[in-house]
Amino acid sequence: MAAPAQRRIIFQHIDEPGYSNDLACYVRNGGYEVLKKSVTRPPAELIDEVKKSGLRGRGGAGFPCGVKWGLVDRKSGKPIYLIVNADESEPGTFKDRYIMHQDPHQLIEGTMISCFANNVKQAYIYIRGEMPHGARILERAIAEARAAGFVGKNICGTTYSCDIFVHRGAGAYICGEETGLIESLEGKRANPRIKPPYFPAVLGLYQCPTIVNNVETLCHVKYIAEHGGDAFTKIGTPNNTGTRIFCVSGHVQRPGYYEFEAGKITMGQLLNEVCGGPLPGRTFKAVIPGGSSAKILRFGERFKGKRKVGAEMVDYDWGVDDVPMDFDSLGMIGTMGGSGGVIVMDDTVNMVEALANINAFYSHESCGQCTPCREGSLWMKKITTRMVHGQARNEDAALLKSVADQIPGRTICAFGEACSWPTQSFIAKFGDEFKQYPETKKAAKPVGAHELV
Amino acid sequence: MNLKPATLHSIDEVITHYPVKRSATLPLLHLIQEDVGYLPPETCEWVAAKLELQPINVLEVITFYPMFRQKPIGRRHIKVCRTLSCALLGGYKTCEQFEKEFNTHRGEVSPGGEVTIDFVECLASCGTAPVVLIDDDLHEKVDCAKAKQLSDQIKAEAKKR
Amino acid sequence: MIAPPKPDLVTVNIDGKEIAVPKGTNVIEAARLVNVDVPHYCYHPKLTIVGNCRMCLIEMGMPAVDPVTKAPIIDPVTGKPKINWIPRPQIGCGTNVSPGLHVKTTSPMVKDAREGVMEFLLINHPLDCPICDQAGECKLQEQSTGYGRGYSRFVEQKNVKPKRTQLGPRVTLDDERCILCSRCIRFSKEIAKDDVLGFVDRGSYSTLTCFPGKQLANNYSLNTVDICPVGALTSTDFRFKMRVWFLKQTNSIDTETSVGANTVVWSREGQIYRLTPRRNDDVNDTWMPDSGRELFKSVMSADRLAATTHLDARVAEAAELFTLNASAGSIAVVGSGRSSVEEQFLTKKLAAALKASTQLVSRVGQGDQLLISADRNPNVRGALVTGLISKLPKIGDAPAASRSANGDAAAPIRTGGLTDLAASIDAGKVKVVVSIGEDLVAAGLTAAQLAKVSVVYLGTHANATSAAAKIVFPTLSVFEKNGTFVNQQFRLQKFAKAVPGPQGATDDLIVLAKLTAAASSAAMASDLGSLWKLISAEIPAFATTSYAQLPETGILIDATPFAALPFVEGETLHYKPAAPAVALTP
């Protein structure tokens, strides 16, 4: 079956010739009409639409946005904050970049609608420090919007006021974790908070109820506000509604961003048809479907079981190519949809070296607060680096697995899972390669292979 | 601290963005670093006084976030991405190419003081790997050839100055 | 009588044992109540909770409830409510009890979690045990015995960090041993209110640092050494001096101020090696000032008094002096706020026998609102309760030389309270002064006035008065005898003998008893058991007090007779003055 066409809702204008990131262009294309209508509606109605839509967070966790908004403590009397998580740092992910640089007003409109729905008077966009142009573009866009009455006092002539400030990060991946982000916004080291009791919906920024949403998620809110939650459910597949922006990188002919309805395209269609398949003379070896934190899939693996389709339980028997790209299917086969960052590796890649690269990333980014992640991530990095550049032992594979098994579930935040799932899945799927590495590393590298660590 | 009037003005303005002064720590550090080129030793006490904090609170933040540097760097800052997607497409060779072009090692100031090359983590443009950030500008698909091209450009711009 | 409010109790189940605990208790404390020890590092009952060491992970579950009817679901097999056990372990310190909470502290999941954390803590930890002061009282050592692997699987290079930093005048830091629990940072910020410590760098390279140019020099810096679970923060004074398992622990009281912080004296073979705080949630929590710890140094100082003649010979000499000055008022007794309750009781008896006036030396300084109160005498209230004095001694006006032991620029301490005595001496009325450990010149008498009287001096260290005294009775320091003090809260607390006194020194009670006996020609007891029988009989406030059964954390006594007195203390950690503190006039 041929791959479906892209459905460019969020990315409608990305890389469109003649489209510029200023207010005039956005308004010419119908911009801020949805905001104008939204501020005349009861806020609760907007929240309801988002709940109905089944929109799931696009930052990596896939947590239902409507549920997140529903958890906000509205009785405390404290101001409610909304933070746009624009700290895109998950390796393999590069979608929010385009939205912010090329279509910032879409984000601003989505943010303002979300703020209005949740009675938020102050929002912050936390953008990673390595996107200085993005920060400037957003600030300019906010200034334009403010001048036009779409941000700031008396939005669209109503009594509702809400302002947005841009806040730049400074190079820490852990600022993508919502409580780490909040700590960073408060001017401290980005150490995630223990939950309970510090659930952002109750005790977030300045100990006030806070909503943290990903850039892409807020853009979907704009669509939902315009067309309604029910219309959103007709895009994508049940429980995996809407479109997803897949960011494909690595060893494919046409890496890049692609927006498809969630669950309506399979991995094989995405990689082979849309992205043109492997590089000449190569074959696909492995793919990480949801950012480097997601568990890796080995081409040749098969996944069998029963899954719910409509009201029935149906058998499935999939190879990697057959897996539909949605949260639930990917979760079912033992990985995750995550941030949508698809990293493809072909047969020139040695998995020990690839894992060493990933482990170096996580050990560098660990905040250092809690024992298992802090020590475990560095230990795994030291083992894989030693295997590649020093002495590799046959027992290192078992040691890696054992170390990785001691981390998930024991940490303050999901970084514990993020840093250990790669090691666990690499060893599980490519264990033989690890065991044989002491011998393989002495042999010549495959043609076209690159140094990875 | 010897900061430009515009910087001081921006500092005072950005503090008003937050109900709690401490939140302005990162913005202030960015502004100071952009002004001076790095964060000189007196930064901690100056920022602490400005935001009603203790100097240790500022030092903790400076050393946590890799973008903040306490020593001067070269006039141009070349950040090459080392994470998986870029490495898969030759990021390590790109970095080595830059190092060779400027006869320096990552983390150091090149002889002549023109560049500092850093091998950094994912820059979120994996689809156009290998990716390099030179000062504020992102350069995509930087293989060895393009690395040489960019290096030549940097050297030419240096000569003009 | 109005019944005290019943604390809100919550029933939880820990390892099968049901227990009702007050609402707001965390699981570690709840487990303690059923004698279950949950290992932990970063948790401290007196500091904010951070939950970063992950050692207190335990298995928790809540009773399953029917979502519609809300009725508890019963397991048909066991007949007991079905428990939904949470698949991930939860930290005990960060979880407060909720009704029906079930906790397992020894399940396979918990064991696995603890062993994991243990292994992770040890991989970068230096093998310093043979040279580390913390050995024997190190939490890492203790938990390794229970949950360590027994061998290391780590063959990589360990992290290298600075190893011998002088963090301040009294604290040494070894960064490699640090397990990044952040107790010291939290203590410095929250309790000592001196935010100088923090972590720099990130991940496993995080390093505890004091801001460059600043020091951890506040008067509570050594508490960080107490609470550091490993040997990262150590006492510079105690460094390499003694293995803790050789030391005997004796409960005592800090005599620096009227706070009466509870302490432990660590000694071996008659020598004291260090002082640490003892937990008393009503007085000092788990803290004590650094300046209080250094007091034991004076025990062996060069100016310690020692007798050269036989005790009874000196008693006889004193008796003769008393007989020569038998008329009422020609002898004055200067008692001390540093004497124990029992000594003050006997001092009163002696003064009565001598028909002498009684006065106390006041010692007032700057309070720090934490554990140093303005009253630098530990037991002025004992003198009040025993009736040795009936009103507070006047505050001295001219500041005496500061006795602050730790070199801080503390406000000088004013000693005084002897203006009446000075006048009596000048008027020629008083001919003999019996001083219990007080230097009369430091307390305000002039050298000329001192020269006019014959002094009988009981005390531990040499000073102007002991030098000028006719008869000197070297006595014992607080570390060398037993007794009680009454602190600013009117709490009676006891201290015990840790080391024997120097040769030639006599217990104050024995000297006072012998002098009283000589003055009154009637025997006087000097042992605590007999003395307390007399004390309970004669002092209303102690009518029902038993020295033998006095709990280690003390008891409050009735303070109402003294409510109107102008006590000098302001607010400290667990003390609020009834009336605003007396201002010190410059």
Side-chain angles (χ1 to χ4, degrees):
Chain A
M1 206 179 83
Q6 281 192 62
R7 182 109 182 240
R8 303 270 288 238
I9 297 179
I10 309 292
F11 267 42
Q12 186 184 0
H13 297 292
I14 301 298
D15 284 333
E16 182 184 290
Y19 191 89
S20 50
N21 56 23
D22 54 283
L23 177 64
C25 179
Y26 187 67
V27 167
R28 256 197 324 272
N29 284 273
Y32 287 111
E33 289 303 313
V34 184
L35 178 62
K36 283 184 197 159
K37 289 206 189 67
S38 300
V39 291
T40 65
R41 297 168 68 178
E45 194 180 285
L46 290 164
I47 298 181
D48 247 358
E49 293 296 331
V50 171
K51 280 192 177 139
K52 269 195 283 189
S53 73
L55 170 67
R56 293 169 72 163
R58 297 294 195 250
F63 191 81
C65 185
V67 176
K68 185 183 269 194
W69 287 8
L71 292 169
V72 171
D73 176 7
R74 299 181 199 279
K75 298 204 186 97
S76 68
K78 294 191 263 193
I80 302 174
Y81 290 99
L82 187 138
I83 304 176
V84 181
N85 189 339
D87 190 61
E88 185 168 61
S89 305
E90 180 75 30
T93 319
F94 49 94
K95 51 185 179 68
D96 300 336
R97 164 185 287 283
Y98 290 96
I99 299 171
M100 292 189 285
H101 285 78
Q102 296 189 21
D103 203 1
H105 284 284
Q106 187 190 176
L107 171 61
I108 294 170
E109 189 172 5
T111 304
M112 291 308 295
I113 294 169
S114 306
C115 287
F116 175 75
N118 287 285
N119 196 22
V120 170
K121 305 281 175 10
Q122 179 66 59
Y124 293 96
I125 301 181
Y126 187 103
I127 182 172
R128 63 179 293 180
E130 296 92 332
M131 291 187 185
H133 285 315
R136 282 191 276 270
I137 290 169
L138 280 169
E139 279 175 346
R140 200 181 60 218
I142 292 171
E144 289 181 311
R146 206 183 276 121
F150 299 126
V151 170
K153 279 183 86 68
N154 303 117
I155 309 291
C156 302
T158 65
T159 53
Y160 172 68
S161 301
C162 176
D163 211 338
I164 311 178
F165 289 124
V166 174
H167 181 104
R168 289 180 67 205
Y173 164 85
I174 194 64
C175 294
E177 206 279 341
E178 57 177 5
T179 55
L181 199 166
I182 290 172
E183 286 284 303
S184 185
L185 233 175
E186 292 189 2
K188 307 178 214 163
R189 291 161 73 88
N191 289 342
R193 298 176 175 172
I194 49 174
K195 297 185 277 199
Y198 298 108
F199 291 104
V202 182
L203 295 173
L205 186 63
Y206 313 126
Q207 301 299 310
C208 298
T210 306
I211 297 169
V212 182
N213 276 138
N214 173 263
V215 165
E216 190 194 336
T217 310
L218 292 167
C219 294
H220 285 292
V221 170
K222 177 193 161 198
Y223 181 95
I224 292 166
E226 182 173 6
H227 300 281
D230 285 331
F232 194 78
T233 63
K234 299 202 171 47
I235 307 171
T237 48
N239 210 38
N240 294 273
T241 51
T243 55
R244 281 222 71 177
I245 300 163
F246 297 107
C247 313
V248 186
S249 63
H251 293 148
V252 287
Q253 299 252 10
R254 292 188 289 274
Y257 51 78
Y258 302 97
E259 188 173 355
F260 285 98
E261 296 189 41
K264 288 240 175 97
I265 187 168
T266 64
M267 179 70 81
Q269 287 168 335
L270 178 63
L271 297 187
N272 289 306
E273 293 176 48
V274 179
C275 295
L279 297 171
R282 315 250 192 108
T283 43
F284 286 144
K285 183 171 182 181
V287 62
I288 304 176
S292 64
S293 310
K295 292 195 180 185
I296 196 167
L297 300 175
R298 177 183 186 146
F299 280 91
E301 266 196 276
R302 293 217 67 88
F303 311 102
K304 291 197 199 31
K306 271 184 161 36
R307 63 181 187 131
K308 200 144 186 254
V309 177
E312 302 179 345
M313 293 302 284
V314 175
D315 283 316
Y316 68 88
D317 181 355
W318 290 335
V320 173
D321 284 335
D322 307 313
V323 180
M325 297 297 286
D326 64 74
F327 289 114
D328 289 338
S329 301
L330 288 163
M332 203 171 60
I333 60 157
T335 179
M336 67 173 187
S339 60
V342 182
I343 306 176
V344 187
M345 284 166 269
D346 64 28
D347 52 336
T348 63
V349 176
N350 181 286
M351 302 318 282
V352 179
E353 293 164 21
L355 181 63
N357 180 296
I358 294 178
N359 281 348
F361 172 80
Y362 285 110
S363 65
H364 187 208
E365 298 292 348
S366 169
C367 76
Q369 216 192 159
C370 68
T371 310
C373 161
R374 172 183 77 234
E375 304 297 341
S377 66
L378 187 63
W379 192 1
M380 292 189 293
K381 178 238 179 187
K382 285 183 175 175
I383 295 172
T384 41
T385 309
R386 168 177 55 76
M387 287 176 79
V388 176
H389 290 299
Q391 190 212 18
R393 312 173 305 171
N394 300 94
E395 62 263 41
D396 282 332
L399 178 61
L400 276 168
K401 176 185 186 315
S402 174
V403 173
D405 285 344
Q406 285 176 176
I407 304 174
R410 318 266 175 94
T411 52
I412 294 177
C413 75
F415 195 96
E417 281 76 14
C419 75
S420 57
W421 281 349
T423 300
Q424 285 179 325
S425 58
F426 272 63
I427 304 280
K429 312 284 177 83
F430 296 95
D432 290 336
E433 208 166 319
F434 279 79
K435 290 201 195 94
Q436 286 152 18
Y437 190 68
E439 285 76 47
T440 10
K441 69 184 282 195
K442 295 184 199 147
K445 272 184 148 60
V447 174
H450 284 292
E451 193 183 341
L452 295 180
V453 73
Chain B
M1 284 211 67
N2 203 3
L3 300 170
K4 305 187 181 74
T7 309
L8 290 166
H9 179 80
S10 298
I11 286 176
D12 285 330
E13 197 274 323
V14 86
I15 294 176
T16 67
H17 290 188
Y18 310 95
V20 177
K21 282 194 173 165
R22 187 171 188 171
S23 287
T25 306
L26 266 82
L28 255 64
L29 291 172
H30 274 302
L31 286 164
I32 295 172
Q33 185 164 278
E34 276 155 23
D35 183 314
V36 182
Y38 65 106
L39 297 172
E42 58 268 30
T43 306
C44 290
E45 272 142 333
W46 193 89
V47 172
K50 197 89 180 152
L51 301 178
E52 291 161 29
L53 302 170
Q54 291 298 317
I56 187 67
N57 305 139
V58 183
L59 184 63
E60 286 190 302
V61 166
I62 292 176
T63 54
F64 184 89
Y65 295 94
M67 275 184 78
F68 294 132
R69 43 192 185 255
Q70 293 179 279
K71 290 205 170 65
I73 54 165
R75 280 180 288 274
R76 311 295 298 275
H77 201 177
I78 302 174
K79 292 180 183 167
V80 183
C81 174
R82 67 157 291 282
T83 315
L84 190 59
S85 297
C86 286
L88 287 172
L89 296 189
Y92 273 72
K93 285 245 166 45
T94 305
C95 191
E96 279 163 21
Q97 184 71 31
F98 277 111
E99 288 174 313
K100 200 174 76 181
E101 292 291 329
F102 291 99
N103 193 21
T104 182
H105 293 292
R106 51 196 84 154
E108 295 171 0
V109 179
S110 64
E114 187 58 26
V115 306
T116 292
I117 300 167
D118 276 323
F119 213 12
V120 300
E121 300 297 348
C122 182
L123 292 170
S125 187
C126 324
T128 57
V131 168
V132 176
L133 199 64
I134 301 182
D135 297 330
D136 283 352
D137 299 323
L138 188 76
H139 299 269
E140 301 168 322
K141 298 202 170 86
V142 184
D143 54 7
C144 288
K146 190 158 179 197
K148 181 159 194 335
Q149 214 179 16
L150 289 166
S151 305
D152 291 338
Q153 205 176 337
I154 292 174
K155 289 174 190 165
E157 285 163 14
K159 277 215 179 66
K160 274 197 221 129
R161 253 186 270 118
Chain C
M1 187 177 110
I2 304 168
K6 263 223 281 258
D8 241 342
L9 291 178
V10 170
T11 307
V12 297
N13 183 307
I14 300 179
D15 291 337
K17 294 176 230 178
E18 294 262 323
I19 177 177
V21 293
K23 192 166 156 201
T25 311
N26 66 57
V27 174
I28 294 184
E29 295 297 336
R32 231 197 274 269
L33 292 170
V34 286
N35 286 324
V36 170
D37 204 26
V38 176
H40 54 274
Y41 297 103
C42 68
Y43 168 69
H44 191 282
K46 303 296 175 188
L47 301 172
T48 52
I49 294 184
V50 286
N52 64 37
C53 73
R54 314 309 283 181
M55 193 65 189
C56 68
L57 288 168
I58 43 188
E59 206 173 337
M60 291 187 204
M62 290 298 284
V65 170
D66 185 289
V68 176
T69 65
K70 306 286 184 215
I73 299 174
I74 306 292
D75 184 339
V77 176
T78 61
K80 292 216 188 87
K82 181 168 180 293
I83 307 296
N84 285 336
W85 293 101
I86 305 172
R88 294 161 62 124
Q90 306 296 316
I91 49 173
C93 63
T95 309
N96 283 350
V97 293
S98 46
L101 181 69
H102 277 64
V103 173
K104 277 193 225 170
T105 67
T106 57
S107 68
M109 179 203 282
V110 172
K111 183 167 179 290
D112 200 40
R114 286 178 187 164
E115 288 178 357
V117 172
M118 208 58 242
E119 180 170 39
F120 284 136
L121 285 172
L122 290 171
I123 57 173
N124 277 310
H125 197 78
L127 283 163
D128 278 357
C129 294
I131 57 161
C132 175
D133 290 319
Q134 199 83 359
E137 51 182 15
C138 171
K139 287 271 170 260
L140 208 59
Q141 278 186 339
E142 288 168 25
Q143 320 290 16
S144 306
T145 341
Y147 311 107
R149 193 174 284 274
Y151 61 92
S152 174
R153 304 188 294 174
F154 185 82
V155 299
E156 330 299 331
Q157 296 286 340
K158 289 188 190 244
N159 291 345
V160 175
K161 295 179 183 172
K163 259 191 107 62
R164 258 180 252 102
T165 320
Q166 278 310 309
L167 216 55
R170 294 175 286 284
V171 180
T172 305
L173 168 64
D174 183 320
D175 269 309
E176 285 179 356
R177 299 175 188 168
C178 175
I179 57 169
L180 303 170
C181 72
S182 77
R183 275 180 170 189
C184 54
I185 299 176
R186 285 177 277 146
F187 172 81
S188 299
K189 189 165 80 170
E190 297 163 18
I191 311 287
K193 308 264 195 289
D194 183 27
D195 197 2
V196 287
L197 295 178
F199 289 131
V200 295
D201 295 337
R202 197 167 75 179
S204 194
Y205 299 107
S206 300
T207 306
L208 178 71
T209 310
C210 188
F211 187 76
K214 291 200 186 219
Q215 283 195 316
L216 183 67
N218 64 68
N219 197 22
Y220 294 87
S221 64
L222 283 169
N223 289 292
T224 59
V225 171
D226 295 330
I227 58 177
C228 179
V230 297
L233 290 169
T234 50
S235 160
T236 312
D237 179 63
F238 185 65
R239 193 170 165 82
F240 300 149
K241 289 242 171 77
M242 181 55 61
R243 282 308 195 189
V244 298
W245 54 82
F246 289 132
L247 295 172
K248 175 183 82 166
Q249 296 174 56
T250 313
N251 288 353
S252 188
I253 303 288
D254 180 10
T255 53
E256 204 186 0
T257 73
S258 62
V259 166
N262 290 197
T263 61
V264 177
V265 180
W266 300 70
S267 64
R268 181 188 186 190
E269 292 169 13
Q271 199 184 341
I272 299 174
Y273 286 85
R274 65 174 189 182
L275 249 55
T276 56
R278 177 163 51 100
R279 181 170 179 176
N280 187 328
D281 287 343
D282 296 311
V283 179
N284 58 311
D285 284 348
T286 47
W287 323 120
M288 76 176 286
D290 291 0
S291 43
R293 294 179 203 243
E294 297 179 4
L295 294 179
F296 80 86
K297 295 283 173 75
S298 66
V299 166
M300 305 276 270
S301 61
D303 55 347
R304 191 71 199 263
L305 291 172
T308 47
T309 55
H310 197 276
L311 173 66
D312 287 332
R314 284 177 279 129
V315 171
E317 216 187 312
E320 221 184 283
L321 190 60
F322 294 154
T323 322
L324 287 173
N325 293 277
S327 54
S330 49
I331 306 181
V333 168
V334 176
S336 174
R338 298 189 292 204
S339 296
S340 67
V341 168
E342 301 80 11
E343 289 159 16
Q344 286 164 345
F345 179 75
L346 279 182
T347 307
K348 180 173 148 208
K349 287 254 180 266
L350 176 63
L354 296 175
K355 301 197 210 70
S357 65
T358 58
Q359 38 263 308
L360 210 74
V361 171
S362 66
R363 197 166 268 109
V364 178
Q366 188 77 27
D368 72 357
Q369 296 177 304
L370 191 52
L371 289 173
I372 300 217
S373 71
D375 186 355
R376 301 307 176 90
N377 281 323
N379 196 25
V380 168
R381 286 168 178 74
L384 282 171
V385 175
T386 51
L388 176 59
I389 53 171
S390 54
K391 55 186 204 307
L392 294 173
K394 286 211 201 82
I395 301 169
D397 6 72
S402 170
R403 297 289 298 276
S404 171
N406 65 8
D408 279 0
I413 300 172
R414 306 174 176 199
T415 35
L418 298 183
T419 39
D420 288 350
L421 177 61
S424 302
I425 293 175
D426 280 336
K429 201 159 175 289
V430 166
K431 300 284 197 312
V432 176
V433 177
V434 180
S435 173
I436 320 289
E438 292 290 3
D439 180 6
L440 303 171
V441 170
L445 290 192
T446 64
Q449 286 161 344
L450 185 61
K452 285 191 193 149
V453 293
S454 302
V455 176
V456 176
Y457 185 75
L458 281 72
T460 53
H461 289 78
N463 52 45
T465 305
S466 69
K470 202 151 190 289
I471 308 159
V472 175
F473 292 95
T475 50
L476 298 179
S477 71
V478 67
F479 306 102
E480 297 152 341
K481 56 192 178 183
N482 295 296
T484 57
F485 293 131
V486 178
N487 80 351
Q488 62 185 0
Q489 305 163 327
F490 276 95
R491 184 180 302 273
L492 184 69
Q493 305 186 110
K494 66 178 171 187
F495 59 90
K497 172 176 174 170
V499 294
Q503 202 157 37
T506 320
D507 194 311
D508 306 55
L509 294 174
I510 295 176
V511 177
L512 286 167
K514 283 189 189 260
L515 288 175
T516 311
S520 66
S521 307
M524 175 54 63
S526 65
D527 65 287
L528 283 172
S530 316
L531 273 175
W532 266 94
K533 284 207 183 68
L534 294 173
I535 291 173
S536 296
E538 295 178 30
I539 312 293
F542 295 131
T544 53
T545 313
S546 153
Y547 175 82
Q549 287 170 348
L550 192 62
E552 289 304 321
T553 45
I555 53 162
L556 286 171
I557 58 178
D558 185 13
T560 40
F562 314 102
L565 291 176
F567 293 108
V568 300
E569 295 100 333
E571 194 173 328
T572 51
L573 185 62
H574 282 293
Y575 174 76
K576 265 201 182 51
V582 172
L584 294 178
T585 51

